[in-house]
Amino acid sequence: NLGTRQSVEGIRAHVEAIVDAVDIESPPDVVVDIGNGAGMITVDAFQRLGASVQTLNAQADGSFPGRPSEPTADNCESLQVLSEHQGSVGIAHDGDADRMRAVTESGTFVSGDVLLAILAGEAAQPGETIAAPVNTSLAVDDYLDQWDVDVVRTCVGDVAVAERASEQGVAFGGEPSGAWIYPDESLCPDGPLAGAKLLELAADRTLDDWVADVDRYPIHRDSVPVDDREAIMAQVRDRVADTYDDVSKLDGVRVDLGDAWFLVRASGTQPLVRVTAEARDAQRAQAVFEQARDLVERARN
């Protein structure tokens, strides 16, 4: 029927677009954890690119019997084991395959910030900018700085990242949760496309080597129960404005301290205020986190 034919044609066009977007002469072996969702397009594209592909949870099933839909480290343990056993790159998707997470050849689940840094570093040219949310690690800035690529912060959410990525001079947009946006290709997060871009990188050198190039810094996170999120955040905004110089109120309150940062942000769905702090040094990270949490505690009392 017409609907089926259009669906098949759409899938074929998507696969062709992915294949045309990369240049891979000798792709590595890869395991794709589809998560019982819509990610078979990734398998089709990888096979077209000449990769040897093994699948996990390949049967489409909206009840997600193989694993929970979210492609987190805990949910992708089978992928990590299989990738390590076979020495293969691992790719994981969520149910609708708009997100992509990765596992190295040694079975290491790649953190969202590290994956963001790697993908952005390949996508952007010197002098260009990439878009990432306010809770993105300092390690991304440090990694990209060596190529004169700047990071502009957005509100949390791929819609905000995509909006910023549509601006001139922004070469890439990404969220550590696994949403990757290539504005020259599409302003929608495209997990299969991002997977092919990563496979292209892993064809040149191992993903383990790429990951080793990105620093990881100590980061602390906590959620503070509150009765009135808006009232607490209003007090935090006032106190931060009186105390710190480099303050962003784009999404919650983010304070840049140069060698560290903290973010105080109200949950959108729960009676919680979330506190995040990061620094290049462990003691500094702990101290900054305590400062940030203290701001919320004093506003609450």
Side-chain angles (χ1 to χ4, degrees), residues 66-300:
R67 63 164 170 83
S69 176
E70 194 78 17
T72 63
D74 288 343
N75 293 340
C76 293
E77 289 182 352
S78 295
L79 178 62
Q80 294 174 66
V81 171
L82 190 56
S83 293
E84 180 181 14
H85 177 70
Q86 297 189 350
S88 302
V89 173
I91 298 293
H93 293 307
D94 59 338
D96 59 1
D98 64 341
R99 278 177 285 166
M100 184 276 293
R101 302 299 299 270
V103 173
T104 72
E105 301 88 347
S106 64
T108 300
F109 189 85
V110 184
S111 80
D113 288 302
V114 170
L115 192 53
L116 198 166
I118 293 169
L119 294 173
E122 184 63 18
Q125 298 297 316
E128 290 185 322
T129 299
I130 70 104
V134 291
N135 57 358
T136 299
S137 171
L138 253 172
V140 176
D141 301 71
D142 289 354
Y143 180 79
L144 296 176
D145 185 61
Q146 61 186 315
W147 292 294
D148 190 29
V149 173
D150 289 331
V151 181
V152 61
R153 295 300 197 277
T154 74
C155 295
V156 174
D158 56 58
V159 172
V161 174
E163 183 177 1
R164 198 61 185 263
S166 69
E167 297 178 5
Q168 187 173 2
V170 182
F172 178 81
E175 272 212 310
S177 63
W180 317 114
I181 297 169
Y182 294 84
D184 287 345
E185 308 290 342
S186 172
L187 286 173
C188 296
D190 188 329
L193 173 63
K197 295 282 190 180
L198 190 66
L199 202 67
E200 184 177 30
L201 292 175
D204 291 335
R205 57 197 293 245
T206 68
L207 186 52
D208 276 306
D209 285 344
W210 283 105
V211 169
D213 288 343
V214 185
D215 291 325
R216 270 135 286 183
Y217 301 138
I219 188 165
H220 299 276
R221 295 184 176 91
D222 196 9
S223 296
V224 181
V226 297
D227 293 328
D228 188 333
R229 290 171 297 181
E230 293 306 317
I232 295 295
M233 288 303 303
Q235 291 189 54
V236 169
R237 280 191 289 268
D238 290 342
R239 292 181 181 184
V240 163
D242 292 339
T243 308
Y244 301 97
D245 294 325
D246 194 343
V247 178
S248 169
K249 300 178 183 177
L250 180 66
D251 190 356
V253 179
R254 187 183 191 276
V255 176
D256 189 341
L257 300 168
D259 65 334
W261 60 272
F262 70 80
L263 173 69
V264 179
R265 182 174 176 268
S267 167
T269 58
Q270 299 173 283
L272 301 171
V273 169
R274 306 194 190 280
V275 181
T276 307
E278 181 189 42
R280 296 182 181 92
D281 174 79
Q283 290 185 338
R284 176 69 166 150
Q286 182 64 44
V288 171
F289 173 72
E290 291 173 1
Q291 290 177 29
R293 185 180 170 89
D294 185 60
L295 283 167
V296 178
E297 293 291 353
R298 282 191 289 152
R300 193 175 64 159

Side-chain angles (χ1 to χ4, degrees), residues 27-87:
D29 294 343
V30 60
V31 182
V32 181
D33 185 345
I34 297 166
N36 302 116
M40 276 300 294
I41 285 175
T42 298
V43 176
D44 293 342
F46 285 3
Q47 290 176 336
R48 280 283 311 279
L49 290 165
S52 174
V53 184
Q54 183 168 342
T55 61
L56 284 173
N57 304 311
Q59 182 177 2
D61 187 334
S63 66
F64 304 112
R67 63 164 170 83
S69 176
E70 194 78 17
T72 63
D74 288 343
N75 293 340
C76 293
E77 289 182 352
S78 295
L79 178 62
Q80 294 174 66
V81 171
L82 190 56
S83 293
E84 180 181 14
H85 177 70
Q86 297 189 350

